[in-house]
Amino acid sequence: MSDAIKHECGIALIRLRKPYQYYIDKYGTHLYGINKLYLLMEKQVNRGQDGAGVANIKIDVPPGHRYISRYRSVASQPVADIFQKINKKFRKALKNNKEKARDARWLQENLAFTGEVWMGHLRYGTHGANEIENCHPMLRQNNWRSRNLVMAGNFNMTNVEELFNKLVSLGQHPKDEVDTVTVMEKIGHFLDEENQRVFDRFKGIYENPDLSDIIEDNMDLQRVLHRSCRDFDGGYSMVGMTGFGAAFVARDPAGIRPAYYYADDEVVVVASEKPAIKTAFNVEYNQIHEVKPGHALIIDKYGEYDEYEFIKPIEKRSCSFERIYFSRASDPDIYNERKTLGKLLIPQILQEIDYDLENTVFSYIPNTAETSFFGLVEGIEEYLAKQRKKAIMDGILFEQDLDRLLSFRPRIEKLVSKDVKLRTFITDDSQRDEMVSHVYDTTFEVIRKGVDNVVVIDDSIVRGTTLEKSILKMLDRLGPKKIIIVSSAPQIRFPDCYGIDMSKMKEFVAFRATLQLLKESGLENRVDEIYAQCVAAIESGNASTTNYVTALYDPFTHDQISDKVAEIVTPKDLKAEVAVIFQTVENLRKACPNHIGDWYFTGNYPTPGGNKVVNKAFVNFVEGKGVRAY
């Protein structure tokens, strides 16, 4: 994505189902769990580079020994930083105790991060500063093992204020009004109540310390999650560990945020993406399962696991942006979906270049648009094959025409190269304009000046800033007659509130284009009408029922908005003609039929909170408030 946005976090969980000594004996190392978690996290580092965290719990170590360990980091390479610290801790402890490296009991009683339950998190911050306090996992501590809770998640809640007020009404005093705190404290509260429920049930039958074990064996985490999450409105995949070693991964009822798992007799593994599990554990894709929406994968103290419904599922609306951009394309389903997205753009592209393939060069914006580009090229080849067949069947070709038609291949070049290292520093919006022109380099002497069209595909166009400030200017230096920018995603018209940092409407170039069209058409009063509807809905408490902002786009066609986007992103001194093509929503659904979460493009939000957010975001825009709507 040429427009940098922050997005969904990554989660990882490993439960070693056998005693720690088993892995030392079988794999010849005390680092089996650590190494596997490192792989899971490195293979998901695309999901979070602001920070990372790791937590580990030992099961059944004697009292007086630490059983919860946690490291978090906001270093420039946080995953590497954390695991270097863990390895350093091991090397230091074993320096004079090398013979103990294969003694599980000694390791667990003397070293941190030697437990059976592992949690990892990769952070893309959509709230709060990039400080270590904002990194997951979050820890809620207590002297009773069963009341300890470690949590991490890939989530955003739309009703944080409501959840915060409920905590206050329960008698709590939360330290901050953010979803991370409110979610953990809410689950922690009902974990405490579950402890008390089981304690009251068995206190007359068992005495301490046996009662502690009885409580742990009879805790109902499904009940805890049901009571905690029933008033959550948002997208989430949350992973939690209790102090006694039980763990869970809970997924929202619409399946907005992803979660996958694999299990055998040695491990239960959870991650946000399937390729991470496949790589780390060398399993087949058909062995990796999706956690069902509204369900939690719950692993008990003894390593037994199952999926349990903790909240009633609704229509599955998993995020389509996962398929377009966020997740790794090494997932075979995502790879094929992205290729299909590219292929489905062919009719629009051919029309825009007037079917002049001989004088058109095709390219892409690195790196995430590469797979869609393969699909685009495949679609061009299929079009040419049909044209050849038609010409032969019609039998009207001279030999030289037939030779030319049979030998013709689409012109494919890598016109744009990306400096990946430089990209990591462009995080401050105030510096972005100055730096963005240096992120990409161009390839010269492959375009025939004043003759060739250039078609360049990107996975999506959000703000259009990079096109205007960098890419179009660079491509124009090559001297093309026409530049066609193609987005494999549809026009982004509405804010996200479920995990992606796209919350302010003024940032969307499709929104800005629509405002200009309204002005040019004498329909500016439409903005005032929709604003009044949004304000009234917010004041009456009905903002969650209807997305009033969709009416803003009704007067104009998809192509009219695309053409206006092209005008907006074209620098004044550009010589080439510019066109912008967006994927259609209909084709997105064809390419990703099992992932219909398309609220960014349609305004059709999967939860009521989404409607409230978009209405509030529009009010913020009209009132000139540069703040989040959730």
Side-chain angles (χ1 to χ4, degrees):
M1 184 180 293
S2 55
D3 288 324
I5 63 171
K6 294 187 175 182
H7 52 89
E8 306 157 16
C9 300
I11 58 172
L13 177 74
I14 299 176
R15 171 58 158 94
L16 304 181
R17 301 186 70 195
K18 294 184 180 295
Y20 190 49
Q21 188 67 52
Y22 170 90
Y23 303 91
I24 296 174
D25 295 339
K26 180 173 180 178
Y27 297 103
T29 177
H30 54 276
L31 300 174
Y32 176 81
I34 296 172
N35 291 337
K36 294 298 185 184
L37 186 68
Y38 173 73
L39 276 175
L40 279 182
M41 293 180 70
E42 274 294 339
K43 291 301 179 181
Q44 297 185 99
V45 78
N46 54 297
R47 303 188 71 85
Q49 298 171 32
D50 288 343
V54 166
N56 178 240
I57 287 181
K58 304 173 188 176
I59 298 175
D60 285 338
V61 293
H65 293 80
R66 185 180 296 275
Y67 58 93
I68 301 178
S69 308
R70 177 181 64 158
Y71 273 161
R72 296 177 294 175
S73 174
V74 290
S76 60
Q77 293 182 308
V79 176
D81 181 54
I82 287 171
F83 285 92
Q84 284 170 4
K85 288 179 179 177
I86 294 175
N87 282 321
K88 183 178 179 181
K89 181 183 285 289
F90 272 81
R91 288 195 303 270
K92 183 178 179 181
L94 293 171
K95 184 176 181 181
N96 298 316
N97 297 281
K98 293 181 180 179
E99 74 284 356
K100 300 294 186 181
R102 298 182 64 85
D103 185 338
R105 177 180 290 275
W106 185 91
L107 289 168
Q108 291 197 310
E109 292 184 1
N110 291 276
L111 266 175
F113 298 103
T114 53
E116 294 89 346
V117 194
W118 289 88
M119 175 190 293
H121 185 265
L122 298 132
R123 180 177 188 262
Y124 256 130
T126 55
H127 282 287
N130 192 27
E131 299 173 349
I132 199 163
E133 289 78 10
N134 293 321
C135 282
H136 301 194
M138 299 294 181
L139 178 59
R140 195 174 190 265
Q141 292 183 289
N142 193 285
N143 268 355
W144 289 71
R145 284 192 314 187
S146 54
R147 291 177 183 263
N148 281 276
L149 178 65
V150 189
M151 280 202 64
N154 169 19
F155 61 80
N156 264 11
M157 300 299 168
T158 69
N159 60 335
V160 175
E161 184 178 352
E162 176 189 338
L163 296 175
F164 177 86
N165 291 335
K166 287 194 175 183
L167 287 175
V168 174
S169 70
L170 290 170
Q172 293 195 23
H173 194 95
K175 64 181 181 180
D176 206 348
E177 190 176 342
V178 295
D179 52 7
T180 301
V181 172
T182 54
V183 165
M184 187 176 79
E185 292 301 332
K186 190 92 183 301
I187 294 175
H189 170 80
F190 287 107
L191 184 70
D192 287 344
E193 287 206 348
E194 180 66 9
N195 269 270
Q196 191 63 46
R197 183 185 72 86
V198 180
F199 174 82
D200 292 341
R201 177 185 172 192
F202 290 103
K203 66 180 179 181
I205 304 174
Y206 297 92
E207 299 294 331
N208 288 325
D210 292 341
L211 184 55
S212 296
D213 293 329
I214 295 299
I215 291 173
E216 294 173 0
D217 288 344
N218 287 274
M219 293 273 287
D220 187 345
L221 290 181
Q222 180 185 10
R223 185 172 187 269
V224 171
L225 290 170
H226 171 70
R227 299 184 72 201
S228 306
C229 303
R230 56 191 170 189
D231 52 4
F232 286 178
D233 188 299
Y236 56 85
S237 287
M238 300 182 298
V239 55
M241 304 187 298
T242 65
F244 60 91
F248 63 84
V249 176
R251 193 175 182 205
D252 67 80
I256 297 170
R257 297 276 75 86
Y260 300 92
Y261 73 95
Y262 163 77
D264 59 25
D265 62 341
E266 292 186 358
V267 293
V268 180
V269 186
V270 180
S272 294
E273 297 189 24
K274 289 189 287 184
I277 298 175
K278 177 172 178 56
T279 298
F281 291 88
N282 193 29
V283 298
E284 299 300 323
Y285 276 107
N286 60 12
Q287 297 176 280
I288 302 170
H289 308 285
E290 186 175 6
V291 178
K292 294 190 287 290
H295 286 66
L297 179 72
I298 297 177
I299 311 165
D300 68 18
K301 178 180 177 179
Y302 304 99
E304 299 302 315
Y305 68 94
D306 207 344
E307 281 190 80
Y308 300 89
E309 181 181 310
F310 68 94
I311 192 167
K312 186 173 179 58
I314 58 178
E315 181 186 22
K316 187 182 176 188
R317 301 283 297 283
S318 48
C319 171
S320 57
F321 248 126
E322 282 279 347
R323 327 302 292 181
I324 296 167
Y325 171 63
F326 296 144
S327 294
R328 286 178 180 263
S330 51
D331 182 314
D333 292 334
I334 292 175
Y335 182 81
N336 288 323
E337 288 165 6
R338 290 183 185 174
K339 282 187 69 177
T340 303
L341 285 168
K343 186 181 295 187
L344 289 171
L345 287 159
I346 295 303
Q348 292 170 265
I349 293 170
L350 290 172
Q351 185 175 358
E352 192 62 51
I353 63 173
D354 198 23
Y355 298 84
D356 184 8
L357 291 174
E358 189 173 343
N359 297 310
T360 300
V361 174
F362 295 92
S363 192
Y364 63 96
I365 303 294
N367 291 319
T368 52
E370 185 175 12
T371 308
S372 295
F373 176 69
F374 292 154
L376 184 154
V377 172
E378 193 173 292
I380 293 291
E381 293 281 10
E382 289 178 2
Y383 166 78
L384 287 171
K386 290 178 182 178
Q387 292 302 108
R388 294 182 186 114
K389 181 178 180 180
K390 182 178 183 301
I392 294 170
M393 294 294 290
D394 289 346
I396 58 173
L397 288 174
F398 293 106
E399 185 176 348
Q400 63 184 36
D401 295 324
L402 183 60
D403 287 341
R404 184 171 62 85
L405 185 63
L406 292 175
S407 62
F408 180 80
R409 292 292 180 271
R411 297 169 62 193
I412 300 165
E413 303 287 352
K414 187 171 184 179
L415 298 179
V416 181
S417 301
K418 185 176 179 183
D419 189 334
V420 178
K421 293 181 181 178
L422 186 62
R423 169 67 176 272
T424 61
F425 294 98
I426 304 175
T427 56
D428 185 348
D429 287 344
S430 65
Q431 300 296 313
R432 182 171 172 77
D433 286 355
E434 179 183 348
M435 294 291 291
V436 74
S437 61
H438 303 292
V439 177
Y440 297 98
D441 295 320
T442 45
T443 305
F444 289 90
E445 306 302 329
V446 293
I447 301 297
R448 294 176 297 183
K449 294 184 178 182
V451 175
D452 288 336
N453 303 308
V454 170
V455 175
V456 179
I457 189 169
D458 198 354
D459 46 54
S460 57
I461 301 171
V462 186
R463 303 179 183 95
T465 308
T466 310
L467 287 176
E468 179 183 2
K469 303 289 184 181
S470 178
I471 292 171
L472 285 172
K473 290 181 178 180
M474 288 192 306
L475 293 173
D476 194 51
R477 294 189 200 112
L478 304 178
K481 178 178 66 175
K482 186 174 185 179
I483 302 170
I484 299 102
I485 301 296
V486 183
S487 169
S488 71
Q491 297 163 359
I492 297 170
R493 300 180 174 189
F494 302 95
D496 179 67
C497 50
Y498 303 115
I500 304 171
D501 188 18
M502 296 194 304
S503 58
K504 300 170 187 175
M505 297 201 67
K506 69 177 183 179
E507 295 182 346
F508 306 143
V509 69
F511 175 74
R512 301 201 310 272
T514 303
L515 292 179
Q516 285 197 23
L517 288 169
L518 289 169
K519 183 177 180 180
E520 293 168 4
S521 304
L523 297 173
E524 291 174 282
N525 62 319
R526 201 175 190 89
V527 173
D528 297 328
E529 292 170 359
I530 294 171
Y531 170 72
Q533 289 177 315
C534 292
V535 170
I538 292 169
E539 290 177 350
S540 65
N542 294 317
S544 298
T545 60
T546 303
N547 176 357
Y548 294 101
V549 184
T550 56
L552 191 79
Y553 298 94
D554 289 346
F556 310 110
T557 66
H558 173 274
D559 291 341
Q560 284 177 304
I561 294 174
S562 296
D563 291 344
K564 185 55 66 174
V565 168
E567 288 183 30
I568 290 174
V569 300
T570 301
K572 292 180 180 179
D573 57 348
L574 209 74
K575 296 175 183 178
E577 180 186 351
V578 174
V580 174
I581 293 173
F582 286 94
Q583 185 71 264
T584 65
V585 172
E586 293 73 22
N587 281 342
L588 171 67
R589 290 170 179 165
K590 288 179 184 177
C592 310
N594 299 317
H595 304 274
I596 60 173
D598 58 8
W599 55 91
Y600 323 94
F601 319 117
T602 65
N604 184 15
Y605 288 91
T607 75
N611 292 327
K612 182 178 179 181
V613 167
V614 68
N615 292 329
K616 190 174 180 182
F618 187 73
V619 170
N620 288 343
F621 165 75
V622 175
E623 295 179 354
K625 297 177 181 177
V627 296
R628 293 180 178 279
Y630 60 95

